[in-house]
């Protein structure tokens, strides 16, 4: 993600071994790399996207977990090694862009792929994304249709554009923004 005000680029990497963690960093306009945070996790969900506010890098980590043994054996694709474990819940991870302590806020399990918008509202952080209204197996099976060589149209799951407000106290307030289904909204 690019900060339009500074021109800085923010990004992340996922380490599965030896200790699961998210590594976050910033590259300024001159190409200087700054490591922001390395966040150890007991289990590291697969993650595809994050949001950028003026204060935070915001991650929504749904409980989509890789099966390390399947990955190590290379007997399946990466997507096929992923399992949705609803009982683990979703974690909202707020990484301060200027350093400082990372906040992790637990929530009931969600399923999403892309983030739409995020911003700071006083001491609250607001993040919006399409919450997918399907089960993981159906979504996993649909991932192969995105890169089709025929002229068929990929099937996307039903979704609900949702807003999640994370208060300073760690409370999460959900608000449905529309009843229209979609993906990659802007």
């Amino acid at each position: 993600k690019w900060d339009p005000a500074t021109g800085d680029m923010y990004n992340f990497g996922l380490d599965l071994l030896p200790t699961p963690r998210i590594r976050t960093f910033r590259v300024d306009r001159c190409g200087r790399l700054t490591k922001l945070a390395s966040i150890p996790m007991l289990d590291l969900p697969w993650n595809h996207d994050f949001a950028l506010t003026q204060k935070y890098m915001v991650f929504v980590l749904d409980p989509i977990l890789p099966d390390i043994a399947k990955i190590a054996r290379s007997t399946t694709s990466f997507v096929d090694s992923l399992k949705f474990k609803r009982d683990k819940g979703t974690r909202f991870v707020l990484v301060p862009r200027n350093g400082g302590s990372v906040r992790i806020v637990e929530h009931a399990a969600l399923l999403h792929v892309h983030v739409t918008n995020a911003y700071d509202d006083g001491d609250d952080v607001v993040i919006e994304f399409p919450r997918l209204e399907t089960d993981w197996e159906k979504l996993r099976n649909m991932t192969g249709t995105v890169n089709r060589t025929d002229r068929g149209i990929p099937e996307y799951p039903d979704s609900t554009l949702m807003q999640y407000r994370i208060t300073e106290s760690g409370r999460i307030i959900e608000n449905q923004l529309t009843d229209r289904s979609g993906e990659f909204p802007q």
Side-chain angles (χ1 to χ4, degrees), residues 114-117 128-133 159-164 175-182 185-186:
H114 297 105
V115 174
T116 305
N117 189 27
E128 300 167 352
F129 55 88
R131 181 185 67 203
L132 301 178
E133 309 295 347
S159 65
T160 305
L161 184 58
M162 298 293 294
Q163 179 185 81
Y164 296 87
N175 182 33
Q176 181 175 329
L177 298 178
T178 181
D179 59 358
R180 296 181 68 187
S181 188
Q186 296 189 24

Side-chain angles (χ1 to χ4, degrees), residues 25-50:
F25 58 91
R26 177 182 68 239
V27 178
D28 69 18
R29 283 196 244 183
C30 297
R32 289 183 295 260
L33 174 71
T34 301
K35 296 177 182 175
L36 297 177
S38 177
I39 307 133
M41 300 277 172
L42 293 176
D43 51 20
L44 185 60
W46 168 77
N47 186 61
H48 179 71
D49 199 6
F50 72 98

Side-chain angles (χ1 to χ4, degrees), residues 24-127:
T24 60
F25 58 91
R26 177 182 68 239
V27 178
D28 69 18
R29 283 196 244 183
C30 297
R32 289 183 295 260
L33 174 71
T34 301
K35 296 177 182 175
L36 297 177
S38 177
I39 307 133
M41 300 277 172
L42 293 176
D43 51 20
L44 185 60
W46 168 77
N47 186 61
H48 179 71
D49 199 6
F50 72 98
L52 195 62
T53 73
Q54 286 187 335
K55 297 178 189 175
Y56 297 99
M57 292 177 74
V58 183
F59 294 87
V60 183
L61 303 178
D62 298 335
I64 303 169
L65 303 172
D67 182 328
I68 302 299
K70 280 186 176 182
I71 293 171
R73 288 191 305 267
S74 297
T75 58
T76 184
S77 72
F78 182 75
V79 169
D80 287 337
S81 76
L82 299 173
K83 299 287 182 204
F84 185 75
K85 298 192 176 184
R86 184 172 299 282
D87 59 310
K88 297 276 185 184
T90 289
R91 290 174 270 184
F92 289 83
V93 179
L94 307 178
V95 179
R97 288 175 47 174
N98 63 356
S101 298
V102 172
R103 290 179 57 204
I104 299 175
V105 181
E106 302 284 338
H107 190 281
L110 301 170
L111 185 58
H112 85 290
V113 179
H114 297 105
V115 174
T116 305
N117 189 27
Y119 55 93
D120 302 306
D121 186 11
D123 292 330
D124 294 350
V125 176
V126 179
I127 185 164

